[in-house]
Amino acid sequence: MNLVMPSPNNKKEGSNPEQLFAAGYSACFDGALNLIARKNQHKIESSVTAAVSLLKDGVDDGFKIGVVLHAHINGVSQEVAEQLVKEAHEFCPYSKATRGNIEVSLETTVE
């Protein structure tokens, strides 16, 4: 896989760091979600998207990262889906690595 990272002075198209972080986090989280579902004996179909934003940091007048994870799940009730997402958030390596460092919101939709 080749990734193009444009420099701030380069107008060429490419991925930015937020997009790459979103891709990694959402893929990792979906894997964790499916593992947790299997461990809890639930058969699901899921997709996870991550919306990564740069937010204003009032502490130092700089920026910080914020993430909204959108989990779309088929095969369980809304209540079960929310519990699976919560457990996946505790298990996911990206969630563990960023816990306490960035703002993460979880959104769960059952289809």
Side-chain angles (χ1 to χ4, degrees):
M1 176 171 162
N2 293 327
L3 300 173
V4 176
M5 290 295 299
S7 68
N9 298 327
N10 187 346
K11 301 296 182 203
K12 291 182 183 178
E13 289 189 28
S15 300
N16 65 42
E18 295 85 1
Q19 291 168 325
L20 298 174
F21 186 76
Y25 200 165
S26 60
C28 185
F29 195 89
D30 193 45
L33 176 60
N34 279 274
L35 177 68
I36 295 298
R38 280 192 305 276
K39 284 185 174 184
N40 285 284
Q41 300 179 345
H42 295 290
K43 184 175 176 150
I44 66 167
E45 291 182 17
S46 65
S47 66
V48 176
T49 59
V52 177
S53 302
L54 290 178
L55 308 172
K56 190 72 170 166
D57 189 344
V59 174
D60 64 2
D61 206 31
F63 294 94
K64 60 184 178 180
I65 294 175
V67 177
V68 179
L69 290 172
H70 303 274
H72 305 277
I73 303 172
N74 288 329
V76 294
S77 69
Q78 181 71 33
E79 182 179 358
V80 170
E82 289 174 3
Q83 183 60 38
L84 293 173
V85 167
K86 183 179 176 182
E87 289 181 38
H89 189 48
E90 293 300 315
F91 183 80
C92 173
Y94 270 72
S95 293
K96 288 180 182 180
T98 59
R99 189 165 287 119
N101 296 312
I102 67 172
E103 296 178 23
V104 178
S105 299
L106 305 173
E107 294 185 0
T108 306
T109 304
V110 174
E111 298 175 6

